[in-house]
Amino acid sequence: MSLHMAVLPKVESDSVVSTKQPNLLGTKHDSVLNSYASCFFLHTSSVHSWNSIIEMPLGILDDDKLEHIPGTAPLNDLQGTATYPGIDPSLLKHDQTGHIVLVPQPSDSPNDPYNWPRKKKELFTITYGWGCGCVGAVGPLLGAAFVPLAREFNVPLTTFVSGVQGGTIAAVAIGSLLFNSLAVKFGKRPVYLGTTVGLMVSCFWAAEATSFTSLVAARVVCGLCMAPMEALIPASIADIWFVHERGFRTAIFNLGVLGGINLAVPIAGGVIEYGSYRIALHAMGGAFGLALIMIFFWMPESAYACRHALNIDTGNEAVTLEGKKNIEQLEHASGPEFTIQESEATTPWSKQLLPYSGYVNSVSFWNTLIRPFYLLASPAVLWGTLLFTICISWLVAISLTLSQIFSAPPYNFSVGAVGATNMASFVASVLGTLVAGPLIDGVVTRMSKMNGGIFEPEFRLPIMVTYLLFTTTGFFAWGQSAHAQDPWAVPVIVCLGLINFGVQLGTTGVVTYIVDCHREKAGEAFAVMNFVKNLFAFGLSFYINGWLDHQGIRNCFFTIGGITMGVTLFTIPM
């Protein structure tokens, strides 16, 4: 097959290397473009030739029915005479090095989030890192004091945990679907701003609650508003970061959520012990106040209707047509040197600060409310839902049982000491972040080179080996050491450290894989994943303490370790 090859373009901006030829607008099978096929596109029959050239690593099988497989895209220099089916390499934009293809391909508009300056993107990342940390913290904030608080409100421990913690978790599940639909319809910025206000208000409300009913109601509102920072951030990452940059930014997201979970307990435990739980909740409200300021200034709308860009990674047509005017330009073009001018002006910073950008998606709100469940028919999303649920829910189980385990003999920890047990988990999460980002992005780049320059979402999966090894070992060791009543350093530092290190690596692999498989539907995918995960955790809050009492800590966590191992092995058929 003959290909039109070109020299790699030069760097023209911080994040995007522009080709000297324009983005081509049109559908692959449009009659207007057929005359340019020899220069710009491969014929459909070349797909089968391509399949015979590539030998997939890890036994990944080619799809011989789809011409453009979702998630599959060129990432490295295309080697030899091979190329990506349907697109001439000379049209592709590269990073600063000129060796990595930008996936997705950005448009030429300065308002395209892929074209944002690097500083703007990093401030966006810092903001959601802080916001996710606050959201992660507010969930288990009272975990170290469940036993004394149940006595203070004069309710059984199981009732207190299921109301205060279980109600929050169930609300997160509902909020994941509701706010995803609003974000798809009207953009993510107003959702982030509105729910952050709700988080701040609900924390102050919970701090001043005088009855158990009022406290539970405040926590339910808090849970609803927690959902966007858990369900929408992966989609926001996909909005502004390219495939080869997502690993580390996803690790920051996971560090925010997991680090918040782990760091909140020791800090809040000390505050509750030497002050009161009301002070801890007031402080949490203040943290969300800071998050609101950061979101207002540093998280502009990332939803963008990208029109003039090559589509090389979603499984739709390889390129898009935008209006009759562009068709006429193509028809009257004399050859491959024609240009299509971009006329979109840069949106002023003052306008970017508006709470609502005016973005409206024509899709039905009710349709987007139901559509996430359709994605469970995707093997990738079904696998991701299963792994994501297991990854996070067992951490919730540990947080719900820490007070029960370490408040009793032989440890007899105070509230502050129970909270301090999570410091090892936080340190492990930080170490996992430092390892996960470079490791997963490095593996992807390396395997893409082995694959003739073509990226496959499955290249995210090898990191799940680390999840299997570290996390299951940690659960088995945790159950045995706590049963044997080993010195506190063994279950706390060694076992919790192994568990959280593995979970950080595993969740990064799961999140990046789903985003790469379903970039355009990442919001819906994570909405249903969070819905299922939180429903499972909600049910867990009703029986985990009783399970621990009835079966004993060793048998309980041996069972959890076995379930984790079995579920992770489903990665092999993926």
Side-chain angles (χ1 to χ4, degrees), residues 163-164 171 202 205-206 209 211-224:
V164 171
S202 63
W205 172 10
S211 68
F212 179 64
T213 303
S214 179
L215 178 63
V216 171
R219 294 286 288 179
V220 167
V221 173
C222 189
L224 283 172

Side-chain angles (χ1 to χ4, degrees), residues 79-403:
Q79 300 169 359
T81 59
T83 188
Y84 183 67
I87 297 178
D88 180 350
S90 66
L91 294 176
L92 300 177
K93 296 180 180 180
H94 296 66
D95 73 341
Q96 288 181 328
T97 68
H99 295 292
I100 297 180
V101 176
L102 297 176
V103 183
Q105 286 281 284
S107 67
D108 293 330
S109 169
N111 299 319
D112 188 340
Y114 292 118
N115 292 329
W116 285 354
R118 185 60 174 265
K119 180 180 178 181
K120 186 175 182 178
K121 290 185 177 185
E122 297 296 1
L123 288 174
F124 193 103
T125 302
I126 291 171
T127 301
Y128 73 66
W130 173 260
C132 289
C134 292
V135 165
V138 74
L141 189 70
L142 305 176
F146 278 161
V147 174
L149 282 176
R151 287 196 297 265
E152 180 177 334
F153 282 93
N154 196 29
V155 293
L157 177 61
T158 302
T159 302
F160 185 86
V161 172
S162 60
V164 171
Q165 200 71 4
T168 304
I169 294 170
V172 175
I174 301 300
S176 297
L177 298 176
L178 175 63
F179 289 116
N180 169 72
S181 297
L182 289 172
V184 170
K185 183 70 177 178
F186 301 110
K188 301 178 183 69
R189 179 171 169 82
V191 172
Y192 287 141
L193 287 171
T195 54
T196 304
V197 171
L199 284 163
M200 182 174 61
V201 171
S202 63
C203 284
F204 291 141
W205 172 10
E208 297 301 323
T210 57
S211 68
F212 179 64
T213 303
S214 179
L215 178 63
V216 171
R219 294 286 288 179
V220 167
V221 173
C222 189
L224 283 172
C225 296
M226 287 168 61
M229 279 291 171
E230 290 191 6
L232 294 182
I233 292 298
S236 292
I237 293 173
D239 285 344
I240 68 173
W241 292 105
F242 299 105
V243 161
H244 68 284
E245 299 172 322
R246 288 178 190 161
F248 179 69
R249 278 76 194 184
T250 302
I252 293 294
F253 159 65
N254 288 326
L255 175 63
V257 176
L258 300 180
I261 291 172
N262 294 323
L263 197 57
V265 179
I267 294 176
V271 172
I272 293 170
E273 182 177 9
Y274 298 105
S276 73
Y277 78 94
R278 300 183 189 276
I279 296 175
L281 286 167
H282 277 298
M284 197 73 251
F288 281 117
L290 176 59
L292 180 63
I293 295 172
M294 295 172 70
I295 291 171
F296 181 79
F297 287 105
W298 292 346
M299 281 185 74
E301 181 59 69
S302 63
Y304 178 75
C306 186
R307 298 181 177 89
H308 308 300
L310 288 170
N311 177 9
I312 62 175
D313 70 321
T314 64
N316 298 322
E317 288 81 2
V319 285
T320 59
L321 270 173
E322 182 64 21
K324 181 179 178 181
K325 178 181 178 181
N326 293 329
I327 298 177
E328 292 174 351
Q329 286 178 301
L330 287 171
E331 289 175 334
H332 292 93
S334 59
E337 299 301 325
F338 68 86
T339 61
I340 298 175
Q341 299 295 325
E342 294 280 359
S343 59
E344 189 173 77
T346 304
T347 302
W349 185 66
S350 58
K351 189 174 181 180
Q352 294 179 35
L353 293 181
L354 294 175
Y356 177 51
S357 67
Y359 176 89
V360 178
N361 194 320
S362 59
V363 68
S364 164
F365 172 81
W366 301 108
N367 182 283
T368 58
L369 200 60
I370 300 171
R371 194 167 60 183
F373 294 101
Y374 297 161
L375 286 174
L376 288 175
S378 163
V381 175
L382 186 60
W383 172 86
T385 301
L386 188 61
L387 265 293
F388 197 65
T389 298
I390 295 301
C391 282
I392 304 298
S393 295
W394 297 146
L395 292 183
V396 175
I398 290 177
S399 70
L400 294 175
T401 58
L402 279 176
S403 181

Side-chain angles (χ1 to χ4, degrees), residues 383 387 468 564-574:
W383 172 86
L387 265 293
L468 178 67
T564 301
M565 180 180 294
V567 168
T568 308
L569 291 177
F570 280 114
T571 306
I572 296 173
M574 293 304 299

